[in-house]
């Protein structure tokens, strides 16, 4: 948590327009409803974290006292209140992923990046976080890196993804095995033919 | 009206009430933490669970509206178990530090755990701890004790109108706080201490000072502003330990401003506890006889016209009555209680009181504020304006200082010339007032203290007459006084009559040598230069600026040390009571004047408090009815009665710059000094003249 207001924040011209579009979705007098999308917009502009200055800017835009926006931003875990690495790695360790080997995936991440849960690498490239269910149980185990889901992981594919990211590449998102989407793991069993 | 059965008792209540309120009406006690009559509902403590027939689960009675035919049980075995369970949850993270907690002995959680708890805990895990928060010089935040009832958050939001508190983070990490490092700045913040049902928010100046059962409690009236908040003075031995509000729906509801609550440490500092007489240019301790002899030596043979008196801001009516009678007996008409030279008309009561009344604000639908900042001049009255504002359909316009009020107000600049336009209807707000059902105007003391005060008063009267503020059952003309003694002084006629001199006249006459003996009854803040060679008697309780000018000092009693009558800005006569005795040789003020009158050979005809009060009622019948308001007749006042003059285009200002220091008591208070340092700008820190 960073409550010191050392940062400054202002929406870029492009995001100003986007913010206007968001505000326009809500009827007059209900601008407060735009708090969460505006915070998201601010976080995306600001390297995936929300400084206090950004919350103040949003509070002004929606006409709320700052504390009301702080309450929202501190309540939801998807708003980051501290700077995070360029690649924000969230590994699911809930029941389905756990059964399918999430512990190993998480261990690989820790060893590979040399950090513990909740920490950021010294070069600022990676932040690692253990999270609750992200709703992709059918492709367990999985992790989310920034906006992308990486699914059907095992230690080897996890390592590959992290290596690629470290090199600055963007590895292919989605299932890392050979199935498409969430089709059955061993190939299709129904709806095989045209008839 | 819905009928429901509560614990087998049929009761009919108003529609829209909650089950909890209905239970109270039926005489069934329902424990609660988060529910408070004056705050919005939140329903998060769950302590008020009751059993409702045909409902699958227990219901939170504070949030459940009554319905016809409901059957409620509050005393079944099931309810008892539910309360025990809720209590157990509330106590999971609550520390067992009652022996060192200031709330101990007056703690809702402690009391209700005794009454409704299971008596034991099954919790063996470690308790969570929350870092203490530094909220302000007035509030100690021991947040580990917090049970998250959010009363303080709702109070800051609704009543104070300064949204600074909130619940941040979530689940087990939820904390009540400001999130950012800042102090709670509201002038009403002390009320959160009363509202907090546990020891999370306690009074910082009172920390570890006393236990509630050691205190003797005296019901009294506050004098640090003109609202006349009802207070309870808690004392131990000869020291006032704390001051808390007491309920009065018509005046302060249950709130109290921070100055009135926390300035009480000033009562024990810089006190005048014995008479002094100036000998060889220096004030020397003296006996009462020596002090009286010194006054007699000066007063003997002095023509009445050369004697004058001024009364200060916190003086009781009894003392002013005695001094007025003494001056009259000495042949002087030079007296004024309007120390700040306000231009109200002493002969027309409606010209100097808050005619609408404080409770009456709730009936208004448009308000014009002239030269006043009610937020610091009368924080509790300001809370009433905010209450009205939150009901909706209330327009507020301000001609005067552009300050941050706690409600939405249109600011029309600070040029008093605007008042003419408003009166004529040429100005937009004039039309709003005309169209309003119950329009009202608040004229600040600051606007009337100016040299063109009479013209401003007249302009405000014209607005009142022109926009229909005066009609049957409604008087929208209000002067917001800031001194507790002002209305009482004017009511008793402590003002110049028949060519007597007013404050400005007296001070000028002192400079010219036309007045040789000036009696300052706790009147401070005079310019020393003007009073050059005048013989000054200062009767008061603090060694403030007035005492420094004095040739003779007579030690008097502060408001907690005497039985005194005060009239608040509405014209409500209220009586304060003695909580502790005056220090040292200090005496009750009217008695000092009565004793002096004997020495001067003009013995006043009263020996007891009852006789003084009978004399007060004889002068003005309003003093015969205590606690009730006698509406004032609307009569002509203004240039015709107080002298004309034109409005000058100086900006209108509030005359209070620093809320925390306005009188000898708050100026002597360390707590108020800490608040001044915290909340006021650097420039105002040294101000000793309010």
């Amino acid at each position: 948590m960073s409550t010191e207001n050392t940062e400054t924040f202002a929406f870029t011209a492009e995001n100003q327009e986007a913010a206007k579009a968001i505000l326009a979705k809500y009827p007059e007098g209900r601008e407060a409803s735009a708090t969460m999308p505006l915070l998201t917009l601010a976080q995306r502009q600001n390297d995936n974290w929300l400084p206090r200055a950004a919350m103040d800017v949003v509070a002004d835009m929606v006409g709320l006292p700052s504390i009301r926006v702080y309450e929202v931003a501190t309540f939801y875990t998807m708003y980051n209140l501290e700077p995070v690495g360029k690649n924000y790695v969230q590994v699911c360790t809930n029941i389905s992923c756990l059964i399918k080997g999430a512990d190993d995936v998480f261990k690989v991440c820790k060893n590979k990046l040399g950090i513990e849960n909740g920490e950021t690498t010294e070069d600022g490239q990676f932040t690692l976080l253990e999270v609750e269910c992200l709703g992709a149980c059918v492709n367990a185990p999985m992790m989310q890196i920034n906006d992308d889901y990486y699914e059907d992981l095992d230690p080897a594919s996890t390592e590959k993804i992290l290596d690629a990211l470290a090199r600055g590449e963007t590895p292919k998102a989605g299932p890392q095995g050979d199935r498409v989407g969430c089709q059955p793991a061993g190939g299709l069993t129904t709806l095989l033919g045209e008839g | 009206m819905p009928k429901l059965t509560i614990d087998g008792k049929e009761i009919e209540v108003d529609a829209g009430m909650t089950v909890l309120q209905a239970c109270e009406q039926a005489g069934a006690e329902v424990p609660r933490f988060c529910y408070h009559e004056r705050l919005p509902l939140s329903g998060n403590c769950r302590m008020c669970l009751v059993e409702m027939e045909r409902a699958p689960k227990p219901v939170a009675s504070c949030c459940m509206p009554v319905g016809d035919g409901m059957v409620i049980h509050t005393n079944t075995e099931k309810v008892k178990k539910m309360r025990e369970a809720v209590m157990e949850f509330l106590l999971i993270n609550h520390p067992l530090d009652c022996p060192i907690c200031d709330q101990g002995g007056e703690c809702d959680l402690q009391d209700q755990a005794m009454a409704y708890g299971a008596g034991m805990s099954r919790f063996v895990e470690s308790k969570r701890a929350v870092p203490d928060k530094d909220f302000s010089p007035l509030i100690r935040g021991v947040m580990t004790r917090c049970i998250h009832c959010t009363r303080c958050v709702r109070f800051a939001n609704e009543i104070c109108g300064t949204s600074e508190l909130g619940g941040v983070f979530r689940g087990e990490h939820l904390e009540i706080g400001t999130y950012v490092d800042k102090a709670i700045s509201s002038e009403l913040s002390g009320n959160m201490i009363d509202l907090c049902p546990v020891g999370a928010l306690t009074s910082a100046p009172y920390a570890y000072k006393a236990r509630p059962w050691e205190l003797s409690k005296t019901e009294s009236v506050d004098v640090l502003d003109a609202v006349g908040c009802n207070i309870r003075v808690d004392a131990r031995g000869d020291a006032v330990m704390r001051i808390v509000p007491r309920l009065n729906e018509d005046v302060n509801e249950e709130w109290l401003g921070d100055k009135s609550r926390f300035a009480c440490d000033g009562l024990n500092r810089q006190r005048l506890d014995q008479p002094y007489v100036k000998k060889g240019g220096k004030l020397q301790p003296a006996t009462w006889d020596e002090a009286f002899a010194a006054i007699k030596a000066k007063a003997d043979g002095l023509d009445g016209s050369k004697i004058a008196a001024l009364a200060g801001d916190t003086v009781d009516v009894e003392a002013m009555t005695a001094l007025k009678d003494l001056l009259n007996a000495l042949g002087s008409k030079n007296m004024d209680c309007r120390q700040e030279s306000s231009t109200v008309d002493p002969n027309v009561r409606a010209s100097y009181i808050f005619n609408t009344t404080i409770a009456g604000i709730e009936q208004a639908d448009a308000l014009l504020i002239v030269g006043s900042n009610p937020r610091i001049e009368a924080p509790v009255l300001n809370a009433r304006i905010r209450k009205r504002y939150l009901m909706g359909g209330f327009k507020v316009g301000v001609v005067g200082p552009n300050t941050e009020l706690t409600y939405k107000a249109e600011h029309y600049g600070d040029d008093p010339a605007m008042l003419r336009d408003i009166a004529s209807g040429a100005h937009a707000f004039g039309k709003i007032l005309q169209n309003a059902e119950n329009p009202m105007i608040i004229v600040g003391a600051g606007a009337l203290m100016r040299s063109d005060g009479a013209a401003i008063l007249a302009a405000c009267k014209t607005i009142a007459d022109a926009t229909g503020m005066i009609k049957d059952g409604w008087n929208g003309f209000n002067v917001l006084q800031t001194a507790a003694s002002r209305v009482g002084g004017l009511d008793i006629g402590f003002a110049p009559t028949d060519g007597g001199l007013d404050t400005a006249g007296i001070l000028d006459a002192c400079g010219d040598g036309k007045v040789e003996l000036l009696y300052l009854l706790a009147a401070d803040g005079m310019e020393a230069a003007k009073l050059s060679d005048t013989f000054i008697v200062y009767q008061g309780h603090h060694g403030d600026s007035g005492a420094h000018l004095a040739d003779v000092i007579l030690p008097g009693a502060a408001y907690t040390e005497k039985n005194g009558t005060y009239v608040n800005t509405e014209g409500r006569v209220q009586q304060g009571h003695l909580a502790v005795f005056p220090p040292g040789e200090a005496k009750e003020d009217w008695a000092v004047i009565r004793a002096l009158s004997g020495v001067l050979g003009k013995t006043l005809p009263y020996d007891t408090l009852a006789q003084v009060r009978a004399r007060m009622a004889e002068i003005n019948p309003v003093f015969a009815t205590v606690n009730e308001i006698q509406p004032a007749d609307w009569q002509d006042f203004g240039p015709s009665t107080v002298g004309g003059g034109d409005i000058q285009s100086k900006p209108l200002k509030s005359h209070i710059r620093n809320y925390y220091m306005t009188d000898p008591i708050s100026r002597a208070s360390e707590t108020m000094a800490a608040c001044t340092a915290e909340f006021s700008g650097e420039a105002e820190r040294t101000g000793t003249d309010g």
Side-chain angles (χ1 to χ4, degrees):
Chain A
M1 177 185 70
S2 165
T3 57
E4 275 171 39
N5 204 8
T6 45
E7 303 277 329
T8 54
F9 181 87
F11 277 118
T12 59
E14 192 185 338
N15 280 344
Q16 286 278 11
E17 288 306 308
K20 259 187 221 159
I22 291 171
L23 279 164
K25 288 180 190 166
Y26 304 98
E28 214 186 305
R30 304 280 178 208
E31 288 83 4
S33 303
T35 302
M36 294 185 63
L38 288 180
L39 283 174
T40 308
L41 187 68
Q43 175 161 302
R44 284 178 182 282
Q45 180 185 316
N46 195 63
D47 299 330
N48 205 15
W49 77 285
L50 277 176
R52 215 185 94 195
M55 302 185 218
D56 291 338
V57 166
V58 170
D60 271 354
M61 290 175 81
V62 298
L64 281 177
S66 298
I67 183 72
R68 297 281 90 81
V69 174
Y70 303 155
E71 282 178 323
V72 172
T74 56
F75 183 86
Y76 292 101
T77 53
M78 284 167 77
Y79 297 119
N80 296 318
L81 306 176
E82 289 184 324
V84 294
K86 198 172 140 232
N87 299 294
Y88 187 57
V89 183
Q90 305 176 73
V91 182
C92 171
T93 55
N94 258 178
I95 184 73
S96 307
C97 289
L98 185 77
I99 292 168
K100 297 282 282 176
D103 274 358
D104 294 336
V105 171
F106 194 59
K107 213 176 286 167
V108 166
C109 291
K110 283 205 288 196
N111 293 340
K112 187 90 204 153
L113 302 173
I115 49 176
E116 288 297 317
N117 178 29
E119 292 179 350
T120 302
T121 53
E122 264 172 36
D123 59 4
Q125 287 296 305
F126 289 93
T127 294
L128 178 64
L129 205 65
E130 190 180 339
V131 297
E132 308 304 330
C133 184
L134 292 172
C137 307
V138 71
N139 291 84
M142 62 79 66
M143 63 182 174
Q144 181 183 357
I145 299 177
N146 297 342
D147 284 342
D148 292 326
Y149 275 19
Y150 294 89
E151 300 157 323
D152 294 340
L153 298 172
D154 55 26
S157 57
T158 307
E159 207 161 324
K160 234 170 75 188
I161 293 167
L162 294 178
D163 280 339
L165 285 166
R167 287 193 301 271
E169 299 164 11
T170 310
K172 183 177 85 69
Q176 300 301 306
D178 38 12
R179 64 168 157 169
V180 179
C182 52
Q183 281 175 356
L188 293 183
T189 53
T190 56
L191 302 176
L192 295 169
E194 308 241 323
Chain B
M1 293 207 302
K3 271 195 198 129
L4 59 170
T5 313
I6 296 169
D7 294 342
K9 189 173 158 190
E10 263 212 18
I11 181 170
E12 198 171 330
V13 297
D14 294 335
M17 279 177 87
T18 63
V19 170
L20 188 141
Q21 288 169 319
C23 288
E24 270 180 349
Q25 265 193 21
E29 194 178 294
V30 180
R32 83 288 303 263
F33 293 108
C34 71
Y35 174 79
H36 191 275
E37 304 82 36
R38 289 174 215 284
L39 299 176
L41 299 172
S42 68
N44 51 7
C45 79
R46 313 313 285 177
M47 196 62 203
C48 66
L49 291 179
V50 296
E51 205 185 334
M52 186 167 94
E53 279 184 14
R54 298 200 307 278
K57 295 192 292 182
V59 296
S61 59
C62 71
C63 291
M64 172 65 85
V66 290
D68 204 29
M70 274 182 177
V71 182
I72 307 285
H73 299 286
T74 70
N75 53 7
T76 57
E77 191 55 29
K78 204 168 156 193
V79 171
K80 182 171 175 287
K81 282 185 79 175
M82 291 187 302
R83 286 174 181 163
E84 281 174 5
V86 169
M87 202 71 209
E88 200 171 359
F89 274 120
L90 287 172
L91 291 175
I92 274 183
N93 282 313
H94 192 82
L96 258 180
D97 63 350
C98 304
I100 57 145
C101 174
D102 264 329
Q103 192 86 353
E106 50 184 3
C107 175
D108 287 357
L109 190 65
Q110 206 176 32
D111 295 347
Q112 293 185 30
M114 290 294 288
Y116 304 105
M120 54 154 312
S121 169
R122 293 175 290 177
F123 188 71
V124 291
E125 288 79 7
S126 39
K127 290 181 178 243
R128 84 170 195 155
V130 181
D132 287 356
K133 295 208 167 57
D134 182 18
F135 280 132
S136 78
L138 305 175
I139 301 178
R140 256 180 108 226
V142 185
M143 301 317 282
T144 301
R145 298 180 187 144
C146 178
I147 58 167
H148 309 131
C149 70
T150 70
R151 275 189 188 180
C152 54
V153 176
R154 286 174 282 147
F155 177 80
N157 247 350
E158 293 292 311
I159 315 286
C160 298
T162 53
S163 300
E164 294 170 312
L165 276 175
V168 291
F169 304 107
R170 74 196 241 178
E172 212 207 6
H173 305 287
L174 175 64
E175 285 180 26
I176 302 294
T178 49
Y179 185 61
V180 296
D181 188 20
K182 77 188 257 204
I184 300 174
S185 64
S186 170
E187 304 74 26
L188 293 165
S189 67
N191 296 298
M192 292 177 196
I193 296 167
D194 293 342
L195 287 171
C196 183
V198 299
L201 304 180
T202 53
S203 166
Y206 174 73
Y208 307 129
K209 289 272 168 62
R211 283 300 196 182
W213 55 84
E214 306 171 324
L215 301 169
S216 63
K217 301 172 168 82
T218 311
E219 301 201 335
S220 195
V221 177
D222 173 53
V223 301
L224 302 188
D225 60 29
V227 176
C229 291
N230 289 205
I231 55 170
R232 196 187 76 206
V233 181
D234 288 1
R236 187 179 59 189
D238 58 357
V240 173
M241 302 307 292
R242 64 172 179 181
I243 288 175
V244 292
R246 101 191 126 88
L247 187 73
N248 187 332
E249 292 292 349
D250 293 329
V251 182
N252 55 317
E253 299 182 274
E254 58 188 84
W255 314 129
L256 187 62
D258 284 352
K259 177 174 54 185
S260 306
R261 181 190 295 263
F262 292 109
C264 59
D265 63 328
L267 290 166
N268 301 326
R269 294 162 50 82
Q270 293 189 8
R271 289 303 301 270
L272 299 171
D273 57 0
Q274 67 177 102
Y276 289 84
V277 174
K278 195 174 255 176
K279 286 177 199 152
K282 265 185 112 172
L283 283 165
Q284 308 280 352
T287 63
W288 278 104
D289 289 339
E290 286 167 4
F292 283 163
I295 299 171
K296 183 176 165 62
K298 179 70 193 178
D300 263 355
L302 200 61
D303 187 64
S305 66
K306 298 197 160 185
I307 302 173
L310 292 172
D313 286 350
T314 59
V315 184
D316 53 308
V317 180
E318 284 82 355
M320 286 189 282
T321 308
L323 188 55
K324 172 189 154 98
D325 284 349
L326 176 61
L327 252 72
N328 285 343
L330 291 168
S332 168
K333 289 164 189 154
N334 308 324
M335 64 184 99
D336 207 333
C337 62
R338 294 164 296 170
Q339 196 195 316
E340 75 294 340
S341 296
S342 161
T343 48
V344 295
D345 186 343
N347 299 312
V348 182
R349 194 163 195 249
S351 85
Y352 59 78
I353 67 171
F354 201 94
N355 292 292
T356 304
T357 74
I358 296 170
I361 293 172
E362 290 177 33
Q363 265 76 55
D365 50 2
L367 165 65
L368 177 65
I369 299 175
V370 179
S372 171
N373 178 1
R375 186 170 166 189
I376 58 171
E377 290 175 19
V380 172
L381 186 141
N382 192 58
R384 194 72 82 129
I385 301 177
R386 176 167 166 82
K387 184 180 179 187
R388 173 63 194 89
Y389 165 76
L390 289 177
M391 293 175 195
F394 185 56
K395 292 221 170 62
V396 185
V398 177
V399 179
N402 188 7
T403 51
E404 206 178 306
L405 293 167
T406 57
Y407 32 85
K408 211 171 117 194
E410 201 70 47
H411 185 247
Y412 295 115
D414 54 12
D415 183 0
M418 187 111 42
L419 298 174
R420 295 232 166 87
D421 295 341
I422 294 175
S424 70
H427 189 281
F429 203 77
K431 293 210 177 65
I432 290 173
L433 289 173
Q434 273 168 11
N435 295 334
E437 186 101 356
N438 290 328
M440 65 183 282
I441 183 171
I442 293 179
V443 189
L448 303 176
M449 281 160 61
R450 300 153 45 111
S451 52
D452 59 346
I456 290 177
L457 183 71
C460 292
K461 179 177 183 290
T462 314
I463 292 175
D465 285 327
T467 56
M469 287 186 189
I470 317 296
K471 56 190 176 191
D472 261 0
W474 182 256
N475 186 335
F477 182 84
N478 302 291
V479 173
L480 179 56
Q481 300 287 359
T482 49
S485 65
R486 194 69 71 246
V487 174
L490 293 166
D491 279 349
I492 209 71
F494 200 92
T497 45
D498 305 335
L501 299 170
D502 63 6
T503 303
I506 290 170
L507 293 178
D508 286 344
C510 286
D512 303 345
K514 283 178 192 151
V515 163
E516 291 182 22
L517 171 60
L518 176 62
Y519 200 111
L520 296 178
L521 183 55
D524 294 282
M526 303 298 149
E527 279 174 60
K530 274 193 174 173
L531 304 174
S532 51
D533 297 326
T534 320
F535 186 86
I536 295 174
V537 178
Y538 181 83
Q539 177 182 345
H541 41 82
H542 272 76
D544 211 78
S545 59
H548 290 290
L549 305 171
D551 292 284
V552 174
I553 291 177
L554 305 176
Y559 70 109
T560 50
E561 296 151 7
K562 60 188 167 191
N563 294 306
T565 302
Y566 304 93
V567 189
N568 79 351
T569 189
E570 311 168 279
R572 185 186 302 274
V573 179
Q574 300 188 109
Q575 287 174 351
H577 297 284
L578 179 141
V580 295
F581 288 99
E585 292 181 48
K587 299 273 186 291
E588 225 165 317
D589 290 272
W590 75 266
V592 170
I593 297 163
R594 162 68 184 75
L596 176 62
S597 73
V599 174
L600 297 178
K602 307 280 183 194
T603 310
L604 295 171
Y606 24 80
D607 297 320
T608 64
L609 187 65
Q611 286 170 338
V612 184
R613 288 188 174 160
R615 168 74 182 136
M616 282 153 51
E618 184 189 317
I619 298 174
N620 191 335
V622 297
F623 291 105
T625 49
V626 177
N627 293 336
E628 274 167 44
I629 294 182
Q630 303 298 327
D633 288 336
W634 188 248
Q635 298 166 13
D636 195 27
F637 61 85
S640 58
T641 55
V642 288
D646 271 338
I647 293 181
Q648 300 154 10
S649 62
K650 285 186 299 189
L652 280 164
K653 285 194 294 221
S654 169
H655 72 108
I656 295 183
R657 279 183 300 134
N658 174 6
Y659 166 67
Y660 297 99
M661 286 190 174
T662 53
D663 55 274
I665 298 170
S666 55
R667 281 196 286 269
S669 158
E670 284 185 330
T671 313
M672 292 296 102
C675 287
T676 305
E678 175 85 39
F679 299 118
S680 298
E682 191 78 28
E684 288 168 55
R685 258 186 224 183
T686 52
T688 52
D689 55 356

